[in-house]
Amino acid sequence: MPQENPPMSTSSGERNIVIIGAGIIGCTAAYYISHHPSFSSNTRVTIIEASKRGVAQGASGKAGGLVAAWAYPEELVSISFPEHERLAEMYDGANRWGFSVMAPAGQTAQVHPYLFTTSMFKFAKEKGVEFIAGKATSLNIDPSSKSVTGVTYIDNESQTEKTIPATQIILAAGVWSPKLIPSLPISGTRAHSITLRFNPPKVFAPHVLFTEITMPIIPSLTSPSSPYSPPSNTVRVASPEIYPRPTNEVYVCGPGDNPPIPETVDDVIVEPRLCENAREQVASISNELREGTIARRQACFLPVVTKGGGPIIGEAETIAKGLIIATGHTCWGISNAPGTGKLLAELVMDGEITSADLKKLAPSKFI
């Protein structure tokens, strides 16, 4: 919940930019801000992340990694896809984060989300971006100027409450953003996934498969005496997505569900049954995939704007000056992160977004 604190001094001209969330949106924002032409020693950028395991522990490290020029919204896509290509060329993304282009060229690609996010974080840290392992608990707002003054958080190591000053706050905490701004219309869809590894190693074509598989009902899962048991000829239709990666692994994700959002990303529950379902489904496709062994069983929450549309990007002036929101990217967070980061850097460093018109995504449209 926002709380009111006295304003901090900015007479020295210093900028204290605090980014809440070390997922792909927060890390790309830190990257683009720290690489902005006007970035200098007077600008301090700090990322606060609640996870005790580090960067990219949510969807940013557990998503598929599809990058598409045909994604949505167009305002972000038109910037994000070229930026993905530029970053891959600049930093050898093919080797660093598995960037690969799929047909038709210039339309579809993929990355390894965890490697991409941690790379952006690394490049930002090299420019002086700082990192705090702690759970943000409140946004501090000066009641007279109605401007942000800082962020209060619980330090992960000491478990003590601390406050960091801020002239601008970027809230990029995904499904956990409403914990700090309850009026945000953000909910979460949980997605389970597995990764398969192969021995001996296999090389798969870098093409994502969007499937629809008809699977038989498993008899042991039904009871003949139950009135809710399906007829014997009932089948299950599954639609796993399959992402071959250059790291000798294949990523597989299954359908989503909507359990309550836990306290932090570290508390997300993985249901073994749903992971085994994904394994069973992908094993039915080919002998090669059937030979893989499960390396990871994981789950994450995708932030969804409940009012439709989104994501929500921009300054929330009705709440406080200097409060910037960047969340609700749904399944396109990986694809649209570079565009989002670039536009946030313009807003923070230049005072306005000039590379795109984000009026449809402005916080005032949603809260």
Side-chain angles (χ1 to χ4, degrees):
M1 294 286 294
Q3 69 181 34
E4 297 181 348
N5 273 358
M8 54 175 266
S9 172
T10 57
S11 59
S12 63
E14 290 185 353
R15 286 174 171 158
N16 291 300
I17 303 163
V18 178
I19 301 172
I20 302 175
I24 196 166
I25 302 301
C27 289
T28 52
Y31 168 83
Y32 280 96
I33 292 170
S34 63
H35 287 74
H36 190 277
S38 63
F39 182 79
S40 69
S41 59
N42 282 339
T43 303
R44 180 187 181 190
V45 180
T46 305
I47 302 175
I48 299 179
E49 169 54 46
S51 175
K52 297 179 180 179
R53 300 166 186 163
V55 175
Q57 294 303 306
S60 301
K62 299 178 175 68
L66 183 66
V67 177
W70 39 267
Y72 62 86
E74 171 60 26
E75 296 92 332
L76 295 179
V77 174
S78 61
I79 298 174
S80 291
F81 196 89
E83 282 297 300
H84 267 292
E85 294 180 313
R86 185 184 69 83
L87 292 169
E89 182 177 356
M90 180 182 299
Y91 294 110
D92 188 21
N95 288 313
R96 281 184 180 268
W97 56 78
F99 181 85
S100 57
V101 177
M102 295 176 282
Q107 291 293 311
T108 314
Q110 68 167 305
V111 299
H112 189 302
Y114 179 81
L115 297 179
F116 179 77
T117 303
T118 53
S119 293
M120 294 297 104
F121 177 69
K122 174 180 180 292
F123 300 147
K125 284 192 69 178
E126 290 173 351
K127 297 287 283 187
V129 171
E130 301 174 34
F131 180 79
I132 291 176
K135 177 186 173 185
T137 56
S138 64
L139 311 177
N140 305 331
I141 299 171
D142 171 42
S144 59
S145 65
K146 205 176 180 182
S147 300
V148 300
T149 62
V151 175
T152 298
Y153 65 95
I154 303 297
D155 183 84
N156 281 353
E157 184 175 353
S158 66
Q159 287 299 297
T160 59
E161 184 177 87
K162 300 181 179 181
T163 297
I164 180 173
T167 55
Q168 289 157 308
I169 299 170
I170 298 176
L171 179 57
V175 298
W176 288 275
S177 298
K179 289 184 176 294
L180 294 168
I181 304 179
S183 59
L184 274 174
I186 297 291
S187 65
T189 296
R190 184 176 63 171
H192 278 78
S193 60
I194 60 173
T195 61
L196 302 174
R197 297 192 71 85
F198 301 86
N199 187 20
K202 292 182 181 292
V203 177
F204 294 91
H207 296 136
V208 176
L209 301 180
F210 298 93
T211 69
E212 184 169 293
I213 305 170
T214 300
M215 304 289 293
I217 286 290
I218 302 175
S220 61
L221 298 182
T222 63
S223 170
S225 61
S226 170
Y228 301 105
S229 296
S232 59
N233 61 348
T234 298
V235 296
R236 294 175 293 151
V237 177
S239 303
E241 298 177 11
I242 303 171
Y243 295 73
R245 291 173 173 170
T247 50
N248 184 38
E249 68 177 359
V250 171
Y251 169 94
V252 182
C253 66
D257 59 3
N258 298 283
I261 296 171
E263 187 63 24
T264 72
V265 67
D266 292 345
D267 303 316
V268 174
I269 295 174
V270 179
E271 303 286 355
R273 175 183 58 82
L274 297 179
C275 292
E276 291 305 320
N277 285 350
R279 171 73 177 91
E280 174 197 5
Q281 292 157 13
V282 75
S284 71
I285 293 177
S286 72
N287 291 332
E288 287 80 4
L289 292 173
R290 191 176 302 119
E291 293 171 0
T293 57
I294 297 180
R296 283 180 174 273
R297 296 173 175 84
Q298 54 196 15
C300 62
F301 278 85
L302 304 177
V304 179
V305 179
T306 57
K307 288 186 176 181
I312 304 172
I313 301 174
E315 187 173 14
E317 295 176 326
T318 57
I319 299 176
K321 297 175 185 176
L323 175 58
I324 298 168
I325 297 172
T327 189
H329 289 70
T330 65
C331 60
W332 293 115
I334 307 301
S335 187
N336 285 331
T340 301
K342 178 179 172 65
L343 297 176
L344 290 174
E346 291 180 355
L347 180 57
V348 169
M349 303 302 290
D350 301 331
E352 62 178 339
I353 294 173
T354 56
S355 295
D357 184 352
L358 296 190
K359 290 186 179 67
K360 293 181 181 178
L361 309 181
S364 59
K365 299 289 185 181
F366 301 92
I367 55 177

